[in-house]
Amino acid sequence: MTFFKPRSTKAVEAVKIAVLCTVLYASAARTQEFRPEHRDLDEIKQSGEIVMGLPDNAPALFMYEGKPMGYEYELSKSFADSLGVKLKIVTYAQWSSMENALKKGEVDIAAPSAPVFQERYDALSYSRPYMNTRPTVVTHRDNGQGSTMPDVAVRTLYPGDDSDWHSNGLHFYAEKSFGDTSRQIRQVASKQIIQTVTNEHIAKNVQRNFPETVVGDSTGPALGISWAVNPKSRRLLHSVNSFLTECEKNGDFEELNEKYLSEIAGLDAIDSIAFLDKTKAFLPAYKSIIKSEAKDKGFDWRLIAALIYQESSFNHRAEGGAGAAGLMQLLPSTAADLGATNLMNPSSNIKAGVGYLKDLFDILPGETENDRLSFALAAYNIGPNHIIAAKSAASSKGLNNLKWKDVAEVMKTCKKGRAARKNSGFNLRGNRAVEYVNKIMAYFEILKYREIKPPPVCFYGPSPAEKV
């Protein structure tokens, strides 16, 4: 009998490696076959951990300053907290990958942040919708005031088979990737492509952060966005539905929409584009000083940059009313209290301005850090005594004086007349102070969004005791 004899030792080793790889692959396949297909609520609570599948792009999930943020992330974190378990996030670029992971038991819930189409109902179970969306066109502002869906169909533009949208009477939509939409929107903003198609709720986020773009009319029926679970996880599905219902009652969706999806009040595209142009031209000269002083006082440097733009448009020689001067438009008396003598000196001005903002932040309480920040900014604009009076007026109306949103409503309704001012305790600039805060926070968001990073493939959220 004749046996095959390899010509060299290398050939023998190659055969051994090939056999070993085959064995390992088969072993992995068998391991995967025997994974539990699902975990229901009891198993999740017993393990102390829930695994959520999320898309790997904004506004659902993204990283900012090394921390996870996003609409679906915060919703997932709240659900995990309600169960008293730790949150594990697994990210996916494609719905098909997320769907397969759910079917194999690799994730407990899939939160695609995308519409649920009828043909999916056979394979998975879906929660009640917590948001509705429709397809809409995003184009560059230079191309006009937005296009309609037929325009895109006729011109056969970019999305092709890479859009978030499934074929539902619009022949060029096929759902493949979550990440492509975000990439395409950036390409529209930089004029690399003419236009693209995205979900209506994402389009709102787009206009907030890419003022170079304009959103056209939405079309077609509204489709619900839901969470998906294994059909056998009935108790989990019931828990999800109860949680989403409670979120609606408590106004949680309203807060998330305002934070991640809504249009910015008081800010139009012209304002945003002017801000980006001046930021690009003048911010580099002051960036290192801003970063240093912001870090020293515990602020995000981008917020300070937004405040400086609102005050002086980065003009260090700017002079305003009542003697306000410099980049942060400080009054001489305020500057003197903070040890600043030369308000036209950028370094001295920024140091004093950031210090003053920190003092205001410390003396004005708020329910959240963002509430405190908004109160501090409003006080920077019209003085702390007016904000204290506005908070008192909010309390007298049965509103929460620790929430900026409630106090801002009172400030916006300030009426004319000496008697009205005497009764309210704050002046007619209240409405302008609200607009002032809105614009600064809008500029802040624009700067932040340009520096967000994609999330890791897998990571853990904070423990149930920690805040997002």
Side-chain angles (χ1 to χ4, degrees), residues 100-161:
N100 288 336
L102 181 58
K103 289 177 181 177
K104 292 176 182 177
E106 295 170 357
V107 299
D108 301 308
I109 298 175
S113 187
V116 176
F117 293 96
Q118 189 63 43
E119 56 267 31
R120 294 185 192 160
Y121 280 105
D122 295 337
L124 302 171
S125 291
Y126 288 86
S127 71
R128 49 155 292 183
Y130 58 89
M131 187 192 308
N132 290 319
T133 193
R134 296 182 297 171
T136 190
V137 181
V138 178
T139 188
H140 197 280
R141 190 164 295 277
D142 290 350
N143 295 336
Q145 292 302 309
S147 303
T148 61
M149 207 61 63
D151 293 333
V152 181
V154 169
R155 296 169 72 180
T156 318
L157 294 176
Y158 189 83
D161 291 334

Side-chain angles (χ1 to χ4, degrees), residues 20-244:
L20 179 61
C21 288
T22 303
V23 171
L24 289 174
Y25 178 82
S27 175
R30 284 196 300 272
T31 302
Q32 195 174 54
E33 283 175 16
F34 288 98
R35 286 183 67 95
E37 290 184 2
H38 76 291
R39 296 193 307 169
D40 212 339
L41 188 61
D42 293 339
E43 289 87 351
I44 290 169
K45 286 186 173 181
Q46 187 175 2
S47 73
E49 172 185 294
I50 187 165
V51 187
M52 296 282 301
L54 268 65
D56 62 354
N57 67 337
L61 172 64
F62 56 92
M63 304 297 289
Y64 178 69
E65 295 282 279
K67 295 180 180 179
M69 298 182 69
Y71 192 108
E72 267 67 29
Y73 171 73
E74 289 201 23
L75 200 57
S76 300
K77 180 66 180 67
S78 294
F79 181 60
D81 288 348
S82 73
L83 299 181
V85 299
K86 195 168 185 178
L87 174 65
K88 181 180 179 180
I89 299 287
V90 183
T91 62
Y92 298 90
Q94 297 179 331
W95 162 250
S96 57
S97 301
M98 189 187 294
E99 182 182 33
N100 288 336
L102 181 58
K103 289 177 181 177
K104 292 176 182 177
E106 295 170 357
V107 299
D108 301 308
I109 298 175
S113 187
V116 176
F117 293 96
Q118 189 63 43
E119 56 267 31
R120 294 185 192 160
Y121 280 105
D122 295 337
L124 302 171
S125 291
Y126 288 86
S127 71
R128 49 155 292 183
Y130 58 89
M131 187 192 308
N132 290 319
T133 193
R134 296 182 297 171
T136 190
V137 181
V138 178
T139 188
H140 197 280
R141 190 164 295 277
D142 290 350
N143 295 336
Q145 292 302 309
S147 303
T148 61
M149 207 61 63
D151 293 333
V152 181
V154 169
R155 296 169 72 180
T156 318
L157 294 176
Y158 189 83
D161 291 334
D162 290 326
S163 166
D164 279 348
W165 281 85
H166 185 78
S167 55
N168 59 340
L170 303 169
H171 67 278
F172 54 89
Y173 301 129
E175 186 187 65
K176 283 189 176 182
S177 170
F178 295 126
D180 284 337
T181 296
S182 179
R183 174 176 58 84
Q184 290 165 14
I185 289 166
R186 292 175 184 274
Q187 290 176 320
V188 169
S190 60
K191 295 187 176 182
Q192 295 178 50
I193 60 174
I194 300 173
Q195 55 189 359
T196 190
V197 177
T198 187
N199 297 317
E200 186 177 44
H201 69 290
I202 294 177
K204 293 178 181 178
N205 179 267
V206 169
Q207 276 197 305
R208 288 170 57 126
N209 300 297
F210 291 98
E212 308 94 329
T213 63
V214 62
V215 177
D217 295 332
S218 301
T219 189
L223 297 171
I225 294 177
S226 304
W227 285 359
V229 303
N230 189 294
K232 296 178 182 178
S233 304
R234 295 184 181 88
R235 294 194 64 213
L236 177 60
L237 180 61
H238 176 74
S239 181
V240 168
N241 281 328
S242 297
F243 166 75
L244 295 176

